[in-house]
């Protein structure tokens, strides 16, 4: 029986252990929210955090927190603070897609420098399992795998069809449900727009500039 490493108890434990290290470092200021897996975009795992107290006085303070999270997690994981911490400094979620498209248009592709991690091969194997089950084409990329709790399905897989371009976000091509072992999984395929590549570039810009990802997005946010 094939199983996905991305949904395994082993990965969940590793993520929670790393998240606990982050939480302990910040003495409760930062809390773990969720993790997602990006099979076709670097075979990376993103761990998302929120703030328990919204008392940061500047973007620079948030930059320092997220940079510290990245340093604690190391090369194996990407760490991100959720965008709602940035709203009082001008982050506008309704403009996020346009900002990400701007990033992809303006920033050179060379900024993206993926590195192998201790789990890369496991994630790449998951990618092949999913592609075979759904009979995906070479242009249909697996954007992310999300673990769901308290939902009708156990996990959500988001797919991007790079062969079908859209000017608008979240235009669906198809939805399918299937099982892997005892897990019920929903897959949703979207038309491609440049925001998918823009968010990846935003992470690398943030990492290389010691900024937070939301701060980078804000720099490309149109008034």
């Amino acid at each position: 029986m094939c199983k996905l490493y991305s949904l395994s108890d082993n990965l969940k434990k590793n993520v929670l252990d790393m998240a606990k290290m982050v939480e302990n470092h910040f003495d409760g200021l930062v809390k773990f929210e969720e993790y997602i897996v990006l099979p076709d975009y670097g075979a990376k795992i993103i761990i998302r955090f929120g703030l328990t107290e919204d008392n940061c006085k500047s973007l620079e303070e948030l930059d320092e927190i997220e940079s510290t999270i990245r340093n604690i997690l190391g090369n194996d994981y990407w760490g991100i603070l959720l965008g709602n911490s940035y709203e009082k400094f001008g982050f506008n979620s309704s403009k996020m897609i346009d900002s990400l498209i701007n990033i992809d248009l303006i920033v050179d592709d060379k900024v993206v420098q993926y590195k192998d991690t201790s789990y890369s091969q496991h994630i790449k194997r998951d990618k092949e399992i999913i592609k075979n089950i759904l009979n995906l084409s070479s242009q249909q990329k697996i954007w992310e795998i999300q673990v769901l709790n308290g939902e009708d399905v156990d996990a959500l897989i988001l797919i991007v069809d790079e062969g079908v371009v859209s000017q608008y976000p979240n235009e669906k091509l198809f939805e399918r449900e299937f099982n892997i072992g005892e897990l019920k999984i929903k897959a949703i395929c979207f038309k491609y727009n440049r925001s998918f590549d823009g968010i990846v570039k935003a992470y690398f810009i943030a990492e290389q500039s010691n900024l937070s990802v939301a701060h980078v997005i804000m720099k490309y946010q149109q008034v």
Side-chain angles (χ1 to χ4, degrees):
M1 180 190 301
C2 62
K3 293 184 179 181
L4 297 183
Y5 174 78
S6 301
L7 304 177
S8 67
D9 291 337
N10 184 43
L11 176 58
K12 291 177 186 177
K13 180 182 183 304
N14 291 341
V15 167
L16 290 175
D17 287 347
M18 294 303 299
K20 193 66 177 176
M21 288 176 59
V22 172
E23 290 175 341
N24 290 342
H25 177 86
F26 287 100
D27 200 21
L29 173 65
V30 171
K31 65 173 181 176
F32 167 73
E33 295 287 348
E34 62 181 357
Y35 76 91
I36 60 173
V37 180
L38 309 181
D40 262 312
Y41 290 77
K44 295 291 294 190
I45 294 171
I46 295 177
I47 306 179
R48 291 174 171 157
F49 296 88
L51 296 179
T52 57
E53 299 175 14
D54 190 15
N55 58 0
C56 290
K57 298 179 175 61
S58 68
L59 276 171
E60 290 71 25
E61 191 173 348
L62 290 169
D63 290 339
E64 184 177 349
I65 290 172
E66 188 167 291
S67 295
T68 302
I69 290 172
R70 283 196 292 265
N71 290 335
I72 294 170
L73 295 178
N75 180 58
D76 266 8
Y77 301 93
W78 283 352
I80 293 180
L81 274 179
L82 294 176
N84 54 4
S85 302
Y86 297 81
E87 290 175 355
K88 66 181 179 181
F89 301 112
F91 181 79
N92 188 337
S93 58
S94 68
K95 295 182 178 181
M96 182 172 171
I97 297 297
D98 289 338
S99 302
L100 295 174
I101 291 172
N102 286 339
I103 291 172
D104 191 46
L105 287 169
I106 294 168
V107 177
D108 195 295
D109 292 347
K110 292 179 181 177
V111 74
V112 176
Q113 299 287 334
Y114 291 122
K115 299 175 183 176
D116 283 338
T117 67
S118 63
Y119 53 73
S120 294
Q121 294 305 314
H122 298 298
I123 303 300
K124 291 174 182 177
R125 178 178 174 274
D126 285 356
K127 178 179 71 174
E128 295 307 315
I129 291 172
I130 295 166
K131 282 180 176 290
N132 288 336
I133 290 174
L134 296 176
N135 194 28
L136 299 181
S137 72
S138 60
Q139 291 182 311
Q140 292 173 325
K141 308 294 185 182
I142 302 170
W143 168 243
E144 67 180 53
I145 301 173
Q146 302 176 8
V147 177
L148 301 179
N149 295 309
E151 304 285 343
D152 292 336
V153 294
D154 298 298
L156 180 64
I157 296 175
L158 304 182
I159 300 158
V160 180
D161 193 327
E162 294 183 342
V164 184
V165 179
S166 171
Q167 295 180 349
Y168 308 101
N170 302 327
E171 280 199 82
K172 295 180 185 178
L173 287 171
F174 66 78
E175 288 188 25
R176 295 178 192 165
E177 290 191 5
F178 61 97
N179 285 56
I180 293 183
E182 297 180 352
L183 297 178
K184 186 176 182 180
I185 299 171
K186 176 185 280 189
I188 304 176
C189 183
F190 296 98
K191 296 179 181 179
Y192 172 82
N193 72 66
R194 302 184 79 112
S195 66
F196 290 100
D197 289 310
I199 187 62
V200 173
K201 288 182 179 180
Y203 188 88
F204 281 100
I205 296 168
E207 186 177 54
Q208 293 161 18
S209 306
N210 289 321
L211 298 173
S212 53
V213 172
H215 192 172
V216 171
I217 294 170
M218 288 171 63
K219 286 177 174 289
Y220 293 84
Q221 180 175 291
Q222 293 182 342
V223 178

